[in-house]
C-alpha cells in the first residue's frame, strides 16, 4: 500500500510540474519539426553545401514512432497518472484471477 501511495505521489508531482510548465509540449514539437527539417535536408541530394550523412551535427535522432508517442504523452494534462491508470487497467483485465477485494 505504501509503495502504491509513493507511486501515485510521484505521478501527481510529475503531472503538477508538467502542467505548471505548459511550454514543454510546444518545445518538444519545435524540436521535432527542426530535426525533421534537418533530416530532410541531409537526405536531399540537391541541397547546396549539406552533406548526405545521417549524422545531424551531434544531435540525438529519434524515430518517428517514439516522437509520436512522446507527443501524445505530453499532450494529456495528467500524462503520467493517465499512463499509470491505463497500465493498471490492462493488468487487471489480463489477470482476471486476481482478487480485487483488497
Amino acid at each position: 500500500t505504501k509503495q502504491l501511495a509513493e507511486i501515485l505521489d510521484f505521478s501527481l508531482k510529475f503531472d503538477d510540474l508538467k502542467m505548471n510548465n505548459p511550454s514543454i509540449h510546444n518545445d518538444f514539437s519545435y524540436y521535432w519539426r527542426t530535426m525533421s527539417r534537418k533530416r530532410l535536408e541531409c537526405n536531399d541530394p540537391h541541397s547546396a553545401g549539406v552533406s548526405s550523412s545521417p549524422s545531424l551535427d551531434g544531435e540525438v535522432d529519434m524515430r518517428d514512432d517514439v516522437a509520436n508517442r512522446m507527443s501524445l504523452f505530453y499532450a494529456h494534462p495528467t500524462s503520467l497518472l493517465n499512463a499509470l491508470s491505463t497500465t493498471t487497467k490492462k493488468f487487471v483485465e489480463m489477470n482476471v484471477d486476481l482478487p480485487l477485494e483488497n
Side-chain angles (χ1 to χ4, degrees):
T1 305
K2 182 180 178 192
Q3 188 174 9
L4 178 61
E6 288 177 359
I7 291 171
L8 287 173
D9 183 54
F10 174 80
S11 66
L12 291 172
K13 286 179 182 176
F14 177 89
D15 289 337
D16 184 51
L17 289 171
K18 188 187 84 62
M19 287 192 319
N20 287 326
N21 186 9
S23 66
I24 192 167
H25 190 250
N26 293 334
D27 292 345
F28 178 75
S29 296
Y30 175 77
Y31 166 78
W32 182 241
R33 284 192 308 272
T34 303
M35 294 307 292
S36 296
R37 265 188 253 125
K38 278 187 166 184
R39 192 178 313 122
L40 288 174
E41 289 173 1
C42 287
N43 292 331
D44 185 9
H46 303 293
S47 295
V50 178
S51 70
S52 61
S53 74
S55 171
L56 297 174
D57 299 328
E59 296 290 330
V60 176
D61 197 14
M62 186 181 307
R63 293 188 339 246
D64 289 341
D65 62 328
V66 173
N68 289 336
R69 284 189 306 200
M70 286 179 65
S71 183
L72 289 173
F73 177 78
Y74 283 121
H76 199 277
T78 55
S79 50
L80 195 54
L81 187 62
N82 183 48
L84 184 63
S85 64
T86 303
T87 304
T88 304
K89 181 180 174 188
K90 285 180 185 177
F91 177 78
V92 169
E93 288 172 351
M94 289 174 53
N95 298 289
V96 293
D97 55 335
L98 288 175
L100 298 177
E101 297 85 39
N102 296 336

